[in-house]
mmCIF file of all heavy atoms in Angstrom:
data_model
loop_
_atom_site.group_PDB
_atom_site.id
_atom_site.type_symbol
_atom_site.label_atom_id
_atom_site.label_comp_id
_atom_site.label_asym_id
_atom_site.label_seq_id
_atom_site.Cartn_x
_atom_site.Cartn_y
_atom_site.Cartn_z
ATOM 1 N N ALA A 39 92.553 92.520 113.872
ATOM 2 C CA ALA A 39 91.868 92.546 112.582
ATOM 3 C C ALA A 39 91.744 93.967 112.037
ATOM 4 O O ALA A 39 91.036 94.210 111.093
ATOM 5 C CB ALA A 39 90.475 91.918 112.703
ATOM 6 N N HIS A 40 92.457 94.928 112.623
ATOM 7 C CA HIS A 40 92.413 96.314 112.162
ATOM 8 C C HIS A 40 92.948 96.397 110.741
ATOM 9 O O HIS A 40 93.990 95.841 110.427
ATOM 10 C CB HIS A 40 93.249 97.189 113.093
ATOM 11 C CG HIS A 40 93.389 98.598 112.625
ATOM 12 N ND1 HIS A 40 92.319 99.431 112.517
ATOM 13 C CD2 HIS A 40 94.462 99.295 112.231
ATOM 14 C CE1 HIS A 40 92.741 100.608 112.078
ATOM 15 N NE2 HIS A 40 94.043 100.541 111.901
ATOM 16 N N THR A 41 92.246 97.107 109.865
ATOM 17 C CA THR A 41 92.673 97.157 108.473
ATOM 18 C C THR A 41 92.782 98.569 107.911
ATOM 19 O O THR A 41 92.715 98.771 106.719
ATOM 20 C CB THR A 41 91.701 96.350 107.584
ATOM 21 O OG1 THR A 41 90.408 96.921 107.702
ATOM 22 C CG2 THR A 41 91.696 94.891 107.953
ATOM 23 N N SER A 42 92.938 99.568 108.742
ATOM 24 C CA SER A 42 93.138 100.951 108.293
ATOM 25 C C SER A 42 91.986 101.489 107.462
ATOM 26 O O SER A 42 92.173 102.369 106.653
ATOM 27 C CB SER A 42 94.440 101.087 107.486
ATOM 28 O OG SER A 42 95.526 100.707 108.246
ATOM 29 N N ASN A 43 90.790 100.955 107.623
ATOM 30 C CA ASN A 43 89.637 101.523 106.946
ATOM 31 C C ASN A 43 89.166 102.734 107.728
ATOM 32 O O ASN A 43 89.211 102.751 108.951
ATOM 33 C CB ASN A 43 88.499 100.499 106.843
ATOM 34 C CG ASN A 43 88.855 99.385 105.900
ATOM 35 O OD1 ASN A 43 89.532 99.611 104.911
ATOM 36 N ND2 ASN A 43 88.405 98.194 106.203
ATOM 37 N N TYR A 44 88.711 103.744 107.033
ATOM 38 C CA TYR A 44 88.330 104.979 107.681
ATOM 39 C C TYR A 44 86.861 104.964 108.069
ATOM 40 O O TYR A 44 86.024 104.405 107.375
ATOM 41 C CB TYR A 44 88.596 106.165 106.753
ATOM 42 C CG TYR A 44 90.047 106.279 106.397
ATOM 43 C CD1 TYR A 44 90.528 105.800 105.194
ATOM 44 C CD2 TYR A 44 90.947 106.831 107.289
ATOM 45 C CE1 TYR A 44 91.867 105.892 104.866
ATOM 46 C CE2 TYR A 44 92.292 106.932 106.981
ATOM 47 C CZ TYR A 44 92.748 106.461 105.775
ATOM 48 O OH TYR A 44 94.059 106.550 105.466
ATOM 49 N N VAL A 45 86.562 105.591 109.196
ATOM 50 C CA VAL A 45 85.192 105.785 109.639
ATOM 51 C C VAL A 45 84.961 107.286 109.610
ATOM 52 O O VAL A 45 85.613 108.031 110.341
ATOM 53 C CB VAL A 45 84.967 105.226 111.060
ATOM 54 C CG1 VAL A 45 83.546 105.466 111.510
ATOM 55 C CG2 VAL A 45 85.307 103.750 111.099
ATOM 56 N N ILE A 46 84.051 107.746 108.747
ATOM 57 C CA ILE A 46 83.839 109.177 108.555
ATOM 58 C C ILE A 46 82.364 109.501 108.780
ATOM 59 O O ILE A 46 81.483 108.805 108.285
ATOM 60 C CB ILE A 46 84.254 109.592 107.128
ATOM 61 C CG1 ILE A 46 85.739 109.244 106.899
ATOM 62 C CG2 ILE A 46 84.005 111.073 106.896
ATOM 63 C CD1 ILE A 46 86.210 109.418 105.485
ATOM 64 N N ALA A 47 82.119 110.585 109.528
ATOM 65 C CA ALA A 47 80.745 111.013 109.773
ATOM 66 C C ALA A 47 80.227 111.752 108.551
ATOM 67 O O ALA A 47 80.944 112.527 107.924
ATOM 68 C CB ALA A 47 80.685 111.919 110.991
ATOM 69 N N ASP A 48 78.944 111.510 108.199
ATOM 70 C CA ASP A 48 78.343 112.280 107.115
ATOM 71 C C ASP A 48 77.956 113.654 107.650
ATOM 72 O O ASP A 48 78.240 113.997 108.796
ATOM 73 C CB ASP A 48 77.166 111.534 106.492
ATOM 74 C CG ASP A 48 75.973 111.394 107.426
ATOM 75 O OD1 ASP A 48 75.929 112.056 108.482
ATOM 76 O OD2 ASP A 48 75.072 110.608 107.101
ATOM 77 N N GLN A 49 77.289 114.465 106.842
ATOM 78 C CA GLN A 49 76.976 115.840 107.235
ATOM 79 C C GLN A 49 76.095 115.921 108.474
ATOM 80 O O GLN A 49 76.174 116.866 109.226
ATOM 81 C CB GLN A 49 76.310 116.571 106.071
ATOM 82 C CG GLN A 49 77.273 116.823 104.935
ATOM 83 C CD GLN A 49 76.605 117.489 103.757
ATOM 84 O OE1 GLN A 49 75.387 117.485 103.637
ATOM 85 N NE2 GLN A 49 77.405 118.062 102.884
ATOM 86 N N GLY A 50 75.280 114.913 108.716
ATOM 87 C CA GLY A 50 74.409 114.919 109.882
ATOM 88 C C GLY A 50 75.081 114.381 111.132
ATOM 89 O O GLY A 50 74.469 114.263 112.182
ATOM 90 N N GLY A 51 76.368 114.035 111.038
ATOM 91 C CA GLY A 51 77.078 113.511 112.195
ATOM 92 C C GLY A 51 76.839 112.039 112.431
ATOM 93 O O GLY A 51 77.157 111.509 113.481
ATOM 94 N N ILE A 52 76.264 111.357 111.441
ATOM 95 C CA ILE A 52 75.992 109.929 111.569
ATOM 96 C C ILE A 52 77.165 109.153 110.998
ATOM 97 O O ILE A 52 77.700 109.493 109.947
ATOM 98 C CB ILE A 52 74.684 109.559 110.841
ATOM 99 C CG1 ILE A 52 73.515 110.264 111.516
ATOM 100 C CG2 ILE A 52 74.483 108.053 110.802
ATOM 101 C CD1 ILE A 52 72.205 110.096 110.795
ATOM 102 N N PHE A 53 77.559 108.110 111.704
ATOM 103 C CA PHE A 53 78.673 107.280 111.260
ATOM 104 C C PHE A 53 78.134 106.043 110.554
ATOM 105 O O PHE A 53 77.364 105.285 111.121
ATOM 106 C CB PHE A 53 79.527 106.843 112.458
ATOM 107 C CG PHE A 53 80.294 107.971 113.069
ATOM 108 C CD1 PHE A 53 79.711 108.792 114.014
ATOM 109 C CD2 PHE A 53 81.601 108.213 112.689
ATOM 110 C CE1 PHE A 53 80.419 109.833 114.582
ATOM 111 C CE2 PHE A 53 82.322 109.249 113.248
ATOM 112 C CZ PHE A 53 81.726 110.065 114.197
ATOM 113 N N ASN A 54 78.530 105.873 109.311
ATOM 114 C CA ASN A 54 78.167 104.679 108.553
ATOM 115 C C ASN A 54 79.377 103.758 108.551
ATOM 116 O O ASN A 54 80.413 104.096 107.996
ATOM 117 C CB ASN A 54 77.781 105.040 107.121
ATOM 118 C CG ASN A 54 76.541 105.894 107.086
ATOM 119 O OD1 ASN A 54 75.559 105.582 107.736
ATOM 120 N ND2 ASN A 54 76.592 106.992 106.344
ATOM 121 N N VAL A 55 79.237 102.625 109.187
ATOM 122 C CA VAL A 55 80.338 101.679 109.293
ATOM 123 C C VAL A 55 79.936 100.401 108.581
ATOM 124 O O VAL A 55 78.888 99.833 108.859
ATOM 125 C CB VAL A 55 80.653 101.363 110.776
ATOM 126 C CG1 VAL A 55 81.796 100.369 110.879
ATOM 127 C CG2 VAL A 55 80.971 102.641 111.527
ATOM 128 N N SER A 56 80.767 99.981 107.647
ATOM 129 C CA SER A 56 80.484 98.712 106.981
ATOM 130 C C SER A 56 81.504 97.682 107.450
ATOM 131 O O SER A 56 82.694 97.954 107.528
ATOM 132 C CB SER A 56 80.519 98.872 105.469
ATOM 133 O OG SER A 56 81.727 99.451 105.074
ATOM 134 N N VAL A 57 81.004 96.530 107.760
ATOM 135 C CA VAL A 57 81.849 95.445 108.241
ATOM 136 C C VAL A 57 82.256 94.597 107.050
ATOM 137 O O VAL A 57 81.467 94.305 106.170
ATOM 138 C CB VAL A 57 81.078 94.590 109.272
ATOM 139 C CG1 VAL A 57 81.929 93.434 109.751
ATOM 140 C CG2 VAL A 57 80.627 95.459 110.434
ATOM 141 N N ASP A 58 83.518 94.216 107.025
ATOM 142 C CA ASP A 58 84.023 93.432 105.910
ATOM 143 C C ASP A 58 84.845 92.275 106.457
ATOM 144 O O ASP A 58 85.493 92.393 107.486
ATOM 145 C CB ASP A 58 84.897 94.318 105.027
ATOM 146 C CG ASP A 58 85.139 93.724 103.664
ATOM 147 O OD1 ASP A 58 84.578 92.650 103.359
ATOM 148 O OD2 ASP A 58 85.897 94.326 102.893
ATOM 149 N N ARG A 59 84.810 91.176 105.764
ATOM 150 C CA ARG A 59 85.568 89.995 106.145
ATOM 151 C C ARG A 59 86.942 90.065 105.486
ATOM 152 O O ARG A 59 87.078 90.311 104.298
ATOM 153 C CB ARG A 59 84.820 88.748 105.663
ATOM 154 C CG ARG A 59 85.534 87.443 105.907
ATOM 155 C CD ARG A 59 84.772 86.273 105.297
ATOM 156 N NE ARG A 59 84.509 86.439 103.873
ATOM 157 C CZ ARG A 59 85.376 86.140 102.907
ATOM 158 N NH1 ARG A 59 86.550 85.667 103.213
ATOM 159 N NH2 ARG A 59 85.058 86.306 101.644
ATOM 160 N N ALA A 60 87.969 89.854 106.285
ATOM 161 C CA ALA A 60 89.322 89.839 105.730
ATOM 162 C C ALA A 60 89.484 88.620 104.832
ATOM 163 O O ALA A 60 89.116 87.513 105.203
ATOM 164 C CB ALA A 60 90.347 89.819 106.854
ATOM 165 N N ASN A 61 90.030 88.835 103.648
ATOM 166 C CA ASN A 61 90.223 87.712 102.738
ATOM 167 C C ASN A 61 91.703 87.433 102.455
ATOM 168 O O ASN A 61 92.023 86.521 101.715
ATOM 169 C CB ASN A 61 89.445 87.918 101.433
ATOM 170 C CG ASN A 61 89.845 89.180 100.708
ATOM 171 O OD1 ASN A 61 90.358 90.117 101.292
ATOM 172 N ND2 ASN A 61 89.582 89.223 99.414
ATOM 173 N N ILE A 62 92.591 88.199 103.072
ATOM 174 C CA ILE A 62 94.027 87.950 102.989
ATOM 175 C C ILE A 62 94.541 87.858 104.418
ATOM 176 O O ILE A 62 94.425 88.814 105.185
ATOM 177 C CB ILE A 62 94.747 89.062 102.205
ATOM 178 C CG1 ILE A 62 94.209 89.090 100.766
ATOM 179 C CG2 ILE A 62 96.257 88.865 102.240
ATOM 180 C CD1 ILE A 62 94.726 90.222 99.940
ATOM 181 N N THR A 63 95.066 86.708 104.795
ATOM 182 C CA THR A 63 95.457 86.466 106.179
ATOM 183 C C THR A 63 96.789 85.730 106.236
ATOM 184 O O THR A 63 97.252 85.169 105.245
ATOM 185 C CB THR A 63 94.394 85.620 106.916
ATOM 186 O OG1 THR A 63 94.235 84.376 106.219
ATOM 187 C CG2 THR A 63 93.052 86.335 106.979
ATOM 188 N N GLY A 64 97.372 85.710 107.415
ATOM 189 C CA GLY A 64 98.601 84.961 107.618
ATOM 190 C C GLY A 64 99.245 85.322 108.940
ATOM 191 O O GLY A 64 98.685 86.068 109.746
ATOM 192 N N THR A 65 100.433 84.787 109.145
ATOM 193 C CA THR A 65 101.223 85.062 110.337
ATOM 194 C C THR A 65 102.636 85.400 109.891
ATOM 195 O O THR A 65 103.257 84.646 109.135
ATOM 196 C CB THR A 65 101.259 83.842 111.277
ATOM 197 O OG1 THR A 65 99.919 83.479 111.615
ATOM 198 C CG2 THR A 65 102.030 84.144 112.542
ATOM 199 N N TYR A 66 103.138 86.533 110.340
ATOM 200 C CA TYR A 66 104.479 87.004 109.993
ATOM 201 C C TYR A 66 105.442 86.533 111.072
ATOM 202 O O TYR A 66 105.251 86.835 112.252
ATOM 203 C CB TYR A 66 104.442 88.529 109.897
ATOM 204 C CG TYR A 66 105.665 89.200 109.338
ATOM 205 C CD1 TYR A 66 106.387 88.656 108.280
ATOM 206 C CD2 TYR A 66 106.081 90.415 109.856
ATOM 207 C CE1 TYR A 66 107.490 89.306 107.764
ATOM 208 C CE2 TYR A 66 107.185 91.071 109.332
ATOM 209 C CZ TYR A 66 107.886 90.518 108.292
ATOM 210 O OH TYR A 66 108.981 91.161 107.776
ATOM 211 N N VAL A 67 106.446 85.742 110.684
ATOM 212 C CA VAL A 67 107.381 85.171 111.654
ATOM 213 C C VAL A 67 108.821 85.545 111.285
ATOM 214 O O VAL A 67 109.129 85.830 110.123
ATOM 215 C CB VAL A 67 107.256 83.627 111.746
ATOM 216 C CG1 VAL A 67 105.880 83.232 112.252
ATOM 217 C CG2 VAL A 67 107.564 82.956 110.421
ATOM 218 N N ASP A 68 109.694 85.540 112.311
ATOM 219 C CA ASP A 68 111.093 85.859 112.067
ATOM 220 C C ASP A 68 111.856 84.610 111.613
ATOM 221 O O ASP A 68 111.266 83.558 111.380
ATOM 222 C CB ASP A 68 111.738 86.531 113.285
ATOM 223 C CG ASP A 68 111.792 85.643 114.516
ATOM 224 O OD1 ASP A 68 111.657 84.402 114.401
ATOM 225 O OD2 ASP A 68 111.980 86.205 115.616
ATOM 226 N N ARG A 69 113.167 84.709 111.519
ATOM 227 C CA ARG A 69 113.998 83.604 111.016
ATOM 228 C C ARG A 69 114.001 82.401 111.954
ATOM 229 O O ARG A 69 114.370 81.299 111.565
ATOM 230 C CB ARG A 69 115.432 84.085 110.781
ATOM 231 C CG ARG A 69 115.556 85.332 109.896
ATOM 232 C CD ARG A 69 115.027 85.158 108.517
ATOM 233 N NE ARG A 69 115.876 84.281 107.739
ATOM 234 C CZ ARG A 69 115.569 83.820 106.551
ATOM 235 N NH1 ARG A 69 114.428 84.135 105.998
ATOM 236 N NH2 ARG A 69 116.383 83.034 105.901
ATOM 237 N N ASN A 70 113.569 82.607 113.218
ATOM 238 C CA ASN A 70 113.471 81.511 114.192
ATOM 239 C C ASN A 70 112.033 81.021 114.352
ATOM 240 O O ASN A 70 111.699 80.371 115.333
ATOM 241 C CB ASN A 70 114.024 81.957 115.546
ATOM 242 C CG ASN A 70 115.496 82.299 115.465
ATOM 243 O OD1 ASN A 70 116.274 81.551 114.886
ATOM 244 N ND2 ASN A 70 115.872 83.441 116.017
ATOM 245 N N ASN A 71 111.171 81.406 113.409
ATOM 246 C CA ASN A 71 109.742 81.066 113.422
ATOM 247 C C ASN A 71 108.993 81.602 114.633
ATOM 248 O O ASN A 71 107.983 81.035 115.042
ATOM 249 C CB ASN A 71 109.527 79.550 113.287
ATOM 250 C CG ASN A 71 109.875 79.084 111.891
ATOM 251 O OD1 ASN A 71 109.553 79.751 110.912
ATOM 252 N ND2 ASN A 71 110.548 77.960 111.799
ATOM 253 N N GLN A 72 109.493 82.723 115.191
ATOM 254 C CA GLN A 72 108.789 83.409 116.269
ATOM 255 C C GLN A 72 107.966 84.538 115.665
ATOM 256 O O GLN A 72 108.405 85.191 114.705
ATOM 257 C CB GLN A 72 109.786 83.972 117.300
ATOM 258 C CG GLN A 72 110.579 82.893 118.020
ATOM 259 C CD GLN A 72 109.662 81.916 118.747
ATOM 260 O OE1 GLN A 72 108.809 82.306 119.529
ATOM 261 N NE2 GLN A 72 109.821 80.619 118.447
ATOM 262 N N PRO A 73 106.771 84.816 116.190
ATOM 263 C CA PRO A 73 105.930 85.856 115.593
ATOM 264 C C PRO A 73 106.588 87.234 115.649
ATOM 265 O O PRO A 73 107.222 87.586 116.637
ATOM 266 C CB PRO A 73 104.661 85.827 116.449
ATOM 267 C CG PRO A 73 104.949 84.973 117.621
ATOM 268 C CD PRO A 73 106.172 84.188 117.356
ATOM 269 N N VAL A 74 106.451 87.970 114.559
ATOM 270 C CA VAL A 74 106.892 89.361 114.502
ATOM 271 C C VAL A 74 105.690 90.191 114.929
ATOM 272 O O VAL A 74 104.698 90.279 114.207
ATOM 273 C CB VAL A 74 107.372 89.759 113.095
ATOM 274 C CG1 VAL A 74 107.781 91.222 113.061
ATOM 275 C CG2 VAL A 74 108.509 88.857 112.643
ATOM 276 N N ILE A 75 105.771 90.761 116.126
ATOM 277 C CA ILE A 75 104.624 91.440 116.718
ATOM 278 C C ILE A 75 104.832 92.943 116.753
ATOM 279 O O ILE A 75 105.952 93.434 116.619
ATOM 280 C CB ILE A 75 104.341 90.915 118.142
ATOM 281 C CG1 ILE A 75 105.525 91.198 119.071
ATOM 282 C CG2 ILE A 75 104.027 89.430 118.113
ATOM 283 C CD1 ILE A 75 105.254 90.866 120.525
ATOM 284 N N SER A 76 103.739 93.665 116.936
ATOM 285 C CA SER A 76 103.790 95.104 117.138
ATOM 286 C C SER A 76 103.620 95.359 118.626
ATOM 287 O O SER A 76 102.651 94.909 119.239
ATOM 288 C CB SER A 76 102.691 95.795 116.334
ATOM 289 O OG SER A 76 102.905 95.605 114.956
ATOM 290 N N ASN A 77 104.599 96.060 119.218
ATOM 291 C CA ASN A 77 104.534 96.390 120.638
ATOM 292 C C ASN A 77 105.203 97.742 120.868
ATOM 293 O O ASN A 77 105.368 98.513 119.923
ATOM 294 C CB ASN A 77 105.164 95.280 121.491
ATOM 295 C CG ASN A 77 106.605 94.998 121.102
ATOM 296 O OD1 ASN A 77 107.332 95.883 120.665
ATOM 297 N ND2 ASN A 77 107.026 93.756 121.248
ATOM 298 N N ASN A 78 105.643 98.027 122.084
ATOM 299 C CA ASN A 78 106.232 99.330 122.391
ATOM 300 C C ASN A 78 107.629 99.527 121.813
ATOM 301 O O ASN A 78 108.099 100.646 121.700
ATOM 302 C CB ASN A 78 106.287 99.538 123.907
ATOM 303 C CG ASN A 78 104.904 99.704 124.496
ATOM 304 O OD1 ASN A 78 103.970 100.084 123.809
ATOM 305 N ND2 ASN A 78 104.759 99.396 125.767
ATOM 306 N N THR A 79 108.335 98.459 121.464
ATOM 307 C CA THR A 79 109.712 98.596 120.978
ATOM 308 C C THR A 79 109.880 98.289 119.498
ATOM 309 O O THR A 79 110.877 98.661 118.914
ATOM 310 C CB THR A 79 110.662 97.677 121.780
ATOM 311 O OG1 THR A 79 110.233 96.322 121.623
ATOM 312 C CG2 THR A 79 110.678 98.054 123.247
ATOM 313 N N SER A 80 108.939 97.605 118.909
ATOM 314 C CA SER A 80 109.034 97.293 117.485
ATOM 315 C C SER A 80 107.630 97.124 116.921
ATOM 316 O O SER A 80 106.662 96.995 117.657
ATOM 317 C CB SER A 80 109.848 96.012 117.259
ATOM 318 O OG SER A 80 109.197 94.908 117.837
ATOM 319 N N SER A 81 107.558 97.137 115.603
ATOM 320 C CA SER A 81 106.260 96.921 114.965
ATOM 321 C C SER A 81 106.480 96.304 113.597
ATOM 322 O O SER A 81 107.595 96.280 113.078
ATOM 323 C CB SER A 81 105.477 98.238 114.837
ATOM 324 O OG SER A 81 106.158 99.131 113.977
ATOM 325 N N ALA A 82 105.411 95.809 113.036
ATOM 326 C CA ALA A 82 105.465 95.240 111.692
ATOM 327 C C ALA A 82 104.189 95.622 110.958
ATOM 328 O O ALA A 82 103.090 95.340 111.424
ATOM 329 C CB ALA A 82 105.614 93.730 111.751
#
Side-chain angles (χ1 to χ4, degrees):
H40 174 64
T41 60
S42 301
N43 291 325
Y44 299 99
V45 179
I46 301 172
D48 68 12
Q49 291 177 343
I52 296 174
F53 290 85
N54 296 312
V55 180
S56 53
V57 178
D58 196 4
R59 176 185 55 83
N61 59 337
I62 298 174
T63 59
T65 303
Y66 189 38
V67 297
D68 64 18
R69 307 299 289 171
N70 297 314
N71 289 319
Q72 296 302 307
V74 178
I75 62 173
S76 296
N77 57 31
N78 291 337
T79 60
S80 64
S81 64

